[in-house]
């Protein structure tokens, strides 16, 4: 349906569903295709009275988001704060038609209250010479169902969007139920600077918390290498096999 007549019909809103609650702060918006469009206009406001219904009205000074999209989908450029929102979409008429387009019906949705970010406590920010494997700790976030930790040699690889929980360049990552984590021995390397962050995980159906600030540390340089030859053995029951372990000290230069 439409709240006003126009040369182009109103799109049908699909996502977020009307009346949806507890949504993530960066919802994906979608609506039906309107034939003959030159893109779409989307308005998102804290009150339905802020949204225009006249097809000739295309601006909204009180809107949280007033933007256009070339396709029938839209992702806000920044997360939305917790609260109730109302939105509508209008197809954009090609300039040559000199016409107007009908606004869609107005849908509502709710962004759930977001869990706060934990505070990172160890390893301390900027510390060097950290022995492997380090034990990571952070403060408790009330109401959380657990935590996600990501560790990377590149700070830019760490996500800042709370709805993103993966990191392609991360050296280690895990979810825990407590506020401490020790990675497997082989996941981190000696003599390397790492960056890490933690996020509180929400209970089912709710959104995860804000990512913490990023903390950095440097691991101690390795003082030996250990090589096994062969590095694997396949033995039948009752048989024997031999693998040689070679331990080589790594000389570290010292100032005189």
């Amino acid at each position: 349906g439409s709240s006003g007549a126009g040369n182009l019909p109103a799109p049908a809103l699909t996502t977020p569903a009307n009346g949806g609650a507890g949504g993530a702060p960066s919802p994906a918006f979608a609506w039906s295709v309107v034939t003959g469009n030159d893109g779409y206009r989307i308005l998102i406001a804290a009150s339905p009275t802020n949204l225009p219904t006249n097809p000739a009205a295309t601006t909204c000074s009180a809107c949280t988001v007033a933007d256009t999209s070339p396709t029938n989908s839209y992702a806000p450029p920044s997360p939305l704060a917790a609260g109730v929102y109302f939105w509508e979409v209008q197809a954009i008429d090609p300039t040559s038609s000199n016409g107007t387009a009908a606004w869609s019906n107005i849908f509502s949705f709710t962004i759930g209250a977001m869990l706060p970010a934990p505070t990172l406590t160890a390893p301390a920010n900027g510390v060097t010479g950290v022995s492997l494997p380090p034990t990571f700790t952070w403060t408790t976030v009330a109401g959380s169902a657990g935590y996600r930790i990501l560790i990377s040699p590149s700070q830019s690889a760490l996500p800042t969007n709370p709805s993103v929980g993966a990191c392609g360049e991360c050296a280690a990552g895990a979810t825990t139920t407590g506020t401490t984590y020790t990675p497997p021995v082989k996941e981190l390397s000696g003599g390397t600077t790492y960056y890490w962050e933690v996020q509180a995980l929400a209970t089912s159906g709710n959104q995860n918390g804000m990512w913490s600030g990023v903390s950095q540390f440097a691991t101690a340089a390795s003082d030996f290498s250990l090589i096994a030859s062969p590095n694997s053995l396949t033995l039948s029951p009752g048989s024997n096999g031999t693998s040689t372990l070679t331990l080589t000290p790594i000389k570290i230069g010292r100032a005189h």
Side-chain angles (χ1 to χ4, degrees):
S2 169
S3 50
N7 288 4
L8 289 180
L13 307 184
T14 54
T15 306
N18 194 22
S26 297
F29 293 85
W31 53 89
S32 64
V33 172
V34 175
T35 302
N37 78 82
D38 193 25
Y40 299 89
R41 182 175 290 108
I42 180 171
L43 300 179
I44 306 170
S47 169
T49 59
N50 294 334
L51 298 175
T53 57
N54 184 339
T58 60
T59 60
C60 174
S61 59
C63 279
T64 306
V65 172
D67 208 347
T68 60
S69 173
T71 65
N72 62 317
S73 62
Y74 177 76
S78 57
L80 301 175
V84 179
Y85 292 91
F86 301 84
W87 65 296
E88 64 180 359
V89 174
Q90 175 190 52
I92 299 174
D93 250 331
T95 304
S96 59
S97 71
N98 295 316
T100 56
W103 282 105
S104 69
N105 284 339
I106 294 173
F107 272 18
S108 71
F109 64 95
T110 302
I111 298 296
M114 186 178 294
L115 293 169
T119 299
L120 308 183
T121 53
N125 190 28
V127 69
T128 60
V130 175
S131 299
L132 293 175
T135 295
F136 298 87
T137 62
W138 53 89
T139 57
T140 300
V141 174
S144 69
Y147 302 89
R148 177 181 288 113
I149 179 173
L150 294 176
I151 308 158
S152 174
S154 169
Q155 183 172 359
S156 62
L158 296 174
T160 57
N161 187 330
S163 63
V164 177
C167 168
E169 296 179 40
C170 277
T175 58
T176 72
T177 54
T179 57
T180 181
Y181 173 69
T182 302
V185 174
K186 294 182 180 180
E187 286 199 346
L188 302 184
S189 302
T192 305
T193 297
Y194 288 101
Y195 303 85
W196 64 293
E197 63 181 0
V198 176
Q199 172 190 51
L201 301 178
T203 54
S204 178
N206 295 309
Q207 57 181 315
N208 294 329
M210 295 293 293
W211 282 105
S212 68
V214 174
S215 190
Q216 74 174 74
F217 66 95
T219 56
S222 302
D223 54 7
F224 65 90
S225 65
L226 186 64
I227 299 174
S229 180
N231 57 16
S232 66
L233 291 173
T234 301
L235 302 178
S236 302
S239 63
N240 297 315
T242 301
S243 178
T244 302
L245 298 178
T246 304
L247 189 149
T248 306
I250 297 176
K251 296 180 180 179
I252 302 174
R254 300 173 187 263
H256 295 283

